Amino acid sequence: MQTPMTQKRNTAPVIHTKIAPTKSLNMVLDHSERVQDLVAECAEELSAVNDSLKQELVTEQLAPAVELALEKSEAIETKVQAASDELAVVNEALQDEIGARLGLQVALAEVIETKDAAVHAALHDGLTGLPNRALFHDRLDHALVQAARYGWTLAVLFIDLDKFKLVNDTHGHATGDRLLQEIANSLKATLRADDTISRYGGDEFLALLTHTSDRQMVARIAEKMVHAIQSSLIIDVNNANENIQIGASIGIALYPADGHVTDVLIAVADKAMYRVKQDQTVVGFA
């Protein structure tokens, strides 16, 4: 006949303590909490066994060996309970560590978000969201390197709004700002994914067209830009739709025919734009 102590020994759960090094802290904590539950269960069952033995043998004279075994069992019970208490402390520390790491992750995400926002602000126009002068120069520099390497042709378009100052003077700067935003959105819609439209300053925009096949193609895109600007002019002014009359002049410089570096191509396109204004046309090449 088995004693309560031998029954406990035969049914005791097996505790696996090996943890793969690739597991996350959360998995380690879950495992440790399961171990703690098992150890606490063992302590309770061992205590119950010891109490049962004491009750069965309380009226009998204990043999020295049995008394020694009971003392050892009680000592083991104490150690198991101590192990359970220590595991509870370890688990609490793990929870604190996980909380601290989550806090660091949140803080890092906020730093990255702030950095990304700062970089975006440094390279984009605050009103229209378009690339600013610095980003346009960078993209044109890169496009020129690619064009020289692969023998591509590209175009730089200098776009100046006509009579924009009159809009500001007549309707106020708030209306002028809304007009610039509408024009920016309309200009973006005329370009391909690899092209760039930039607000260069004030009422001036620059466009970079990559992989241009011929002058006719560039002229067609420029004419679409003029039409897009003219189509952007119905604006809510004092809760009423008002059609504001404005136009655009576009000067065009081509690589490699009109220059090989960024500053030269922009300057050539700028001069072509002023000739367009003088000639009272809309689009003109260098």
Side-chain angles (χ1 to χ4, degrees), residues 19-286:
I19 299 174
T22 56
K23 289 187 177 179
S24 68
L25 274 179
N26 278 316
M27 296 177 67
V28 173
L29 178 59
D30 290 342
H31 184 90
S32 182
E33 288 176 340
R34 290 196 299 271
V35 172
Q36 179 188 350
D37 292 341
L38 290 173
V39 171
E41 181 184 342
C42 290
E44 291 177 3
E45 292 182 5
L46 188 56
S47 177
V49 169
N50 291 338
D51 290 343
S52 177
L53 279 174
K54 291 175 183 177
Q55 290 175 3
E56 289 183 13
L57 302 174
V58 68
T59 58
E60 301 179 12
Q61 182 68 31
L62 295 180
V66 175
E67 186 174 1
L68 179 60
L70 183 56
E71 290 177 356
K72 288 184 177 181
S73 181
E74 290 175 339
I76 293 172
E77 176 190 345
T78 301
K79 290 181 179 180
V80 171
Q81 186 59 54
S84 178
D85 294 341
E86 290 182 12
L87 272 173
V89 174
V90 169
N91 290 340
E92 184 177 353
L94 275 173
Q95 288 175 338
D96 291 343
E97 177 68 17
I98 291 171
R101 292 198 179 193
L102 287 175
L104 287 174
Q105 289 175 355
V106 170
L108 178 60
E110 291 176 350
V111 168
I112 292 174
E113 183 177 355
T114 301
K115 176 188 173 185
D116 290 344
V119 170
H120 185 274
L123 296 175
H124 291 80
D125 175 54
L127 177 64
T128 64
L130 294 179
N132 62 14
R133 183 177 303 206
L135 183 54
F136 184 85
H137 276 246
D138 181 73
R139 290 186 179 178
L140 181 51
D141 287 343
H142 178 72
L144 287 171
V145 171
Q146 297 295 100
R149 179 178 300 170
Y150 298 108
W152 295 336
T153 301
L154 57 81
V156 174
L157 284 65
F158 202 112
I159 306 158
D160 184 78
L161 303 182
D162 298 331
K163 301 180 181 179
F164 181 75
K165 184 178 182 300
L166 182 61
V167 174
N168 278 335
D169 294 341
T170 304
H171 301 286
H173 288 278
T175 298
D177 287 347
R178 290 200 300 274
L179 177 60
L180 287 173
Q181 291 170 336
E182 291 294 328
I183 289 174
N185 291 331
S186 298
L187 289 175
K188 281 193 297 185
T190 66
L191 300 182
R192 303 162 299 178
D194 292 338
D195 297 332
T196 297
I197 183 69
S198 163
R199 185 185 179 199
Y200 207 59
D203 59 351
E204 296 176 337
F205 296 84
L206 276 177
L208 167 63
L209 309 183
T210 59
H211 305 290
T212 55
S213 57
D214 51 49
R215 292 166 65 96
Q216 288 74 21
M217 170 190 170
V218 177
R220 285 195 301 270
I221 294 176
E223 290 166 359
K224 284 176 59 179
M225 288 181 170
V226 172
H227 179 72
I229 291 170
Q230 294 172 344
S231 300
S232 303
L233 305 183
I234 299 178
I235 292 183
D236 181 13
V237 178
N238 297 325
N239 297 321
N241 289 332
E242 183 167 338
N243 191 353
I244 299 175
Q245 298 298 318
I246 195 171
S249 301
I250 301 180
I252 304 170
L254 299 176
Y255 168 88
D258 300 320
H260 294 78
V261 296
T262 294
D263 290 340
V264 169
L265 286 169
I266 293 174
V268 170
D270 187 18
K271 290 180 181 179
M273 182 271 296
Y274 276 107
R275 282 200 301 273
V276 166
K277 284 185 177 293
Q278 292 171 357
D279 297 340
Q280 297 184 345
T281 56
V282 176
V283 174
F285 288 85

